[in-house]
């Protein structure tokens, strides 16, 4: 933190603009007019500063006005840079922070903020600026890192402002939603553990460490279906694919287990064991009584190559669902799941983003999710990219970005709700960066301690996402430890029954 700044404003310019405003309000920019109007209203409301007279003879406490302006600037800094203060790493690496998030940087004290009415910051819900600033920290530097102020369209920024202000899209989950999320996380973790026991030594490219991806996809399906979607098309690489195929797409577990034993659907005997990580699937999900078709595009391996493929699939399907040859962009929603090293590292990502708004290629917005394991194969982020976030490429294409901690299930679902609403409203891309880790290294045959010893020392101590969320719900009184144990036991019994069926399964 640098030394406190006693005055961040040019007093000469301030005085000049104020003098011009006193003689002719129209002679200054609207921003200055708004500022001085607020000042007049403050002094007219019995604040602890001199009362205002008509503009021609008004006397103002200039030092107080300077502090009001500093508080307003602090508020905007929290909106813009609050994401740097969000705890994103489940493994405990502290956020970098930003020096301009502190009152002292702007020459303010807590007493100054307490003396300024909340109305001075344009928010009369709060008695003081201190209350208003605290609320801004809760929203912008709390549990989700929002990067939306780089958007150039005023309407979009205003939309986000209203969404954060009214809190409908960022509301807490209901008790039933919390229980459903916990149940889902236990299913995700239970499947990975079951495969690990039943097929020891096999590669599965586990989703463990970013388990919340599955309930996030559930929420994408629900929210998109409620907004008019008939189909969801998903593109992804191998990490977490087995869990997506079964727990999201509905692929039979016995079919998956048979593949681990070398019996594949629609594949000749020369296929390698890797094929199960690249196969596609078509399933469906009921959303409020409406069937939503789910398509997972096959990906023959190379990570991001599937991105333009799903965009082409979606565009064609939108025409199928449209009337008289017109495309229905709400009817089919593309979801692209990326890796944190591949997103900035593979050119096909930028190429696909570049055509996202072109009339000949647009699909009405893609929901992007970066599954950030904080390591690319065996490369640390500091050696893999020149940007702070893996998602920074997206900002050049006017895409709002939300950063979430993969072990904060509720924050992840909040981010999805806002992403789906934004896509449905503006028909544009939106991106969620899901920050987690890989519990077993690049694949289950690796020994990650060789290349990331400090990270994996922390990972071996880290509770699972399901454990963390279960303890949270126990503390909140929504569920008991016994209920969680029963939840896990029932799911384990279900998988064991599916495995027994799988022994006789023939493609």
């Amino acid at each position: 933190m640098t030394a406190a700044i006693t005055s961040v404003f040019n007093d000469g310019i301030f005085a000049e603009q104020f003098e011009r405003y006193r003689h002719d309000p129209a002679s200054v920019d609207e921003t200055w007019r708004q500022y001085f109007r607020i000042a007049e209203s403050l002094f007219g409301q019995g604040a602890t500063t001199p009362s205002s007279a008509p503009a021609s003879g008004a006397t103002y406490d200039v030092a107080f006005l300077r502090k009001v302006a500093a508080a307003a600037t602090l508020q905007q800094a929290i909106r813009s840079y609050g994401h740097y203060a969000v705890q994103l790493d489940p493994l405990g690496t502290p956020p970098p922070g930003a020096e301009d998030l502190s009152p002292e940087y702007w020459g303010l004290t807590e007493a100054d903020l307490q003396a300024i009415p909340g109305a001075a910051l344009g928010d009369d819900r709060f008695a003081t600026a201190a209350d208003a600033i605290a609320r801004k920290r809760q929203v912008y530097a709390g549990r989700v890192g929002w990067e939306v102020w780089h958007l150039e369209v005023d309407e979009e920024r205003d939309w986000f402002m209203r969404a954060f202000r009214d809190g409908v899209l960022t509301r807490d989950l209901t008790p039933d939603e919390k229980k459903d999320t916990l149940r889902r996380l236990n299913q995700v973790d239970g499947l990975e553990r079951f495969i690990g026991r039943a097929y020891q030594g096999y590669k599965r490219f586990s989703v463990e460490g970013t388990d919340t991806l599955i309930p996030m996809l559930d929420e994408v399906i629900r929210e998109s279906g409620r907004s008019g979607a008939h189909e969801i098309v998903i593109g992804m690489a191998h990490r977490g694919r087995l869990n997506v195929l079964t727990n999201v797409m509905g692929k039979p577990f016995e079919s998956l287990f048979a593949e681990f034993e070398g019996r594949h659907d629609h594949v000749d005997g020369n296929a390698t064991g890797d094929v199960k990580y690249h196969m596609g699937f078509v399933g469906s999900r009921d959303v409020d009584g409406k069937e939503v078709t789910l398509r997972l595009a096959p990906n023959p391996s190379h990570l991001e190559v599937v991105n333009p493929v799903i965009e082409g699939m979606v565009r064609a399907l939108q025409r199928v669902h449209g009337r008289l040859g017109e495309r229905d962009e709400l009817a089919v929603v593309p979801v692209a799941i990326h890796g944190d090293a591949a997103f900035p590292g593979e050119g096909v990502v930028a190429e696909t983003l570049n055509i996202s708004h072109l009339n000949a290629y647009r699909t009405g917005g893609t929901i992007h999710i970066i599954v950030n394991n904080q390591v690319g194969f065996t490369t640390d982020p500091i050696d893999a990219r020149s940007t702070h976030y893996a998602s920074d490429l997206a900002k050049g294409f006017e895409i709002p970005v939300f950063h979430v901690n993969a072990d904060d299930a509720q924050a992840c679902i909040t981010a999805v709700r806002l992403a789906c609403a934004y896509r449905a409203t503006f028909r544009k891309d939106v991106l969620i960066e899901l920050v987690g880790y890989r519990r077993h290294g690049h694949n289950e045959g690796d020994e990650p301690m060789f290349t990331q010893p400090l990270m994996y020392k922390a990972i071996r101590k880290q509770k699972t996402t399901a454990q963390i969320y279960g303890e949270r719900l126990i503390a909140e009184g929504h569920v008991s430890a016994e209920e969680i144990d029963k939840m896990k036991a029932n799911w384990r019994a279900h998988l064991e029954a599916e495995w027994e069926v799988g022994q006789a399964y023939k493609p």
Side-chain angles (χ1 to χ4, degrees), residues 210-280:
T210 50
D211 310 53
T212 321
L213 174 66
I214 306 306
M216 289 173 72
L217 290 175
D218 291 340
E219 195 68 18
V220 169
I221 295 165
R222 274 193 296 270
E223 293 299 315
S224 297
R226 290 166 180 166
S227 296
H230 296 283
E231 302 200 38
I232 311 288
V233 179
I234 303 173
M236 67 182 298
H238 45 274
R239 175 121 356 246
R241 193 178 186 92
L242 299 184
N243 226 302
V244 171
L245 276 165
T246 51
N247 276 322
V248 176
M249 304 299 299
K251 179 174 181 171
F253 289 103
E254 64 265 27
S255 174
L256 175 66
F257 297 148
E259 289 174 5
F260 270 98
E261 298 177 11
R263 303 192 304 276
H264 298 273
D265 286 310
H266 313 300
V267 176
D268 64 37
N270 297 319
T272 70
D274 275 353
V275 71
K276 54 184 167 291
Y277 314 110
H278 307 311
M279 292 174 64

Side-chain angles (χ1 to χ4, degrees), residues 358-381:
L358 303 183
N359 288 334
Y361 301 96
R362 60 170 289 129
T363 56
T366 299
I367 296 174
H368 300 270
I369 302 175
I370 294 178
V371 178
N372 188 342
N373 303 299
Q374 304 189 71
V375 59
F377 191 43
T378 60
T379 306
D380 293 324

Side-chain angles (χ1 to χ4, degrees), residues 302-305 307 338-353 370-371 375-377 379-381 383-387 389-394 397 431:
H302 210 268
L303 302 176
E304 305 290 339
V305 73
N307 294 346
H338 310 274
D340 56 304
F343 187 83
E346 294 193 17
V348 69
V349 177
E351 292 166 358
T352 307
L353 294 177
I370 294 178
V371 178
V375 59
F377 191 43
T379 306
D380 293 324
D383 297 315
R385 63 175 186 264
S386 298
T387 59
Y389 291 120
S391 58
D392 281 338
L393 168 70
F397 294 92
L431 187 151

Side-chain angles (χ1 to χ4, degrees), residues 228-459:
H230 296 283
E231 302 200 38
I232 311 288
V233 179
I234 303 173
M236 67 182 298
H238 45 274
R239 175 121 356 246
R241 193 178 186 92
L242 299 184
N243 226 302
V244 171
L245 276 165
T246 51
N247 276 322
V248 176
M249 304 299 299
K251 179 174 181 171
F253 289 103
E254 64 265 27
S255 174
L256 175 66
F257 297 148
E259 289 174 5
F260 270 98
E261 298 177 11
R263 303 192 304 276
H264 298 273
D265 286 310
H266 313 300
V267 176
D268 64 37
N270 297 319
T272 70
D274 275 353
V275 71
K276 54 184 167 291
Y277 314 110
H278 307 311
M279 292 174 64
F281 195 81
V282 179
S284 65
R285 184 79 66 87
D286 181 272
V287 177
D288 298 340
K290 181 181 76 173
E291 183 180 62
V292 176
T293 300
L294 310 177
R295 300 179 187 271
L296 179 64
N299 187 350
S301 184
H302 210 268
L303 302 176
E304 305 290 339
V305 73
V306 75
N307 294 346
V309 175
I310 66 166
E311 300 298 340
M313 292 172 63
V314 167
R315 190 172 169 91
L317 289 167
Q318 287 175 345
R319 190 172 294 279
V320 170
H321 287 280
R323 295 183 178 181
L324 302 176
E326 296 293 326
R327 288 183 307 106
D328 185 346
E329 293 183 343
L330 284 179
V332 189
V333 177
V335 179
I337 302 172
H338 310 274
D340 56 304
F343 187 83
E346 294 193 17
V348 69
V349 177
E351 292 166 358
T352 307
L353 294 177
N354 187 55
I355 63 175
S356 62
H357 290 179
L358 303 183
N359 288 334
Y361 301 96
R362 60 170 289 129
T363 56
T366 299
I367 296 174
H368 300 270
I369 302 175
I370 294 178
V371 178
N372 188 342
N373 303 299
Q374 304 189 71
V375 59
F377 191 43
T378 60
T379 306
D380 293 324
I382 194 172
D383 297 315
R385 63 175 186 264
S386 298
T387 59
H388 178 70
Y389 291 120
S391 58
D392 281 338
L393 168 70
K395 291 193 289 187
F397 294 92
E398 296 289 307
I399 296 172
V401 179
F402 313 150
H403 308 277
V404 286
N405 184 320
D407 273 353
D408 189 342
Q410 292 182 202
C412 294
I413 290 175
T414 294
V416 169
R417 287 176 173 169
L418 210 66
C420 291
Y422 174 85
R423 192 266 177 191
T425 303
F426 296 103
R427 316 289 175 87
K428 289 184 176 181
D429 290 31
V430 60
L431 187 151
I432 301 171
E433 183 189 18
L434 178 67
V435 182
Y437 57 90
R438 300 181 313 203
R439 186 166 287 276
H440 304 292
H442 180 68
N443 66 59
E444 288 67 28
D446 286 349
E447 177 44 77
M449 287 292 286
F450 290 147
T451 53
Q452 279 85 27
L454 296 180
M455 174 183 279
Y456 277 86
K457 186 178 180 180
I459 288 173

Side-chain angles (χ1 to χ4, degrees), residues 155-173:
E155 182 185 0
E156 294 178 33
R157 294 196 305 273
D158 291 344
W159 184 87
F160 277 111
M161 187 85 76
R162 290 193 300 273
F164 296 141
R165 185 183 177 105
D166 65 34
V168 174
L169 293 171
T170 56
R171 64 171 176 81
D172 193 14
L173 304 187

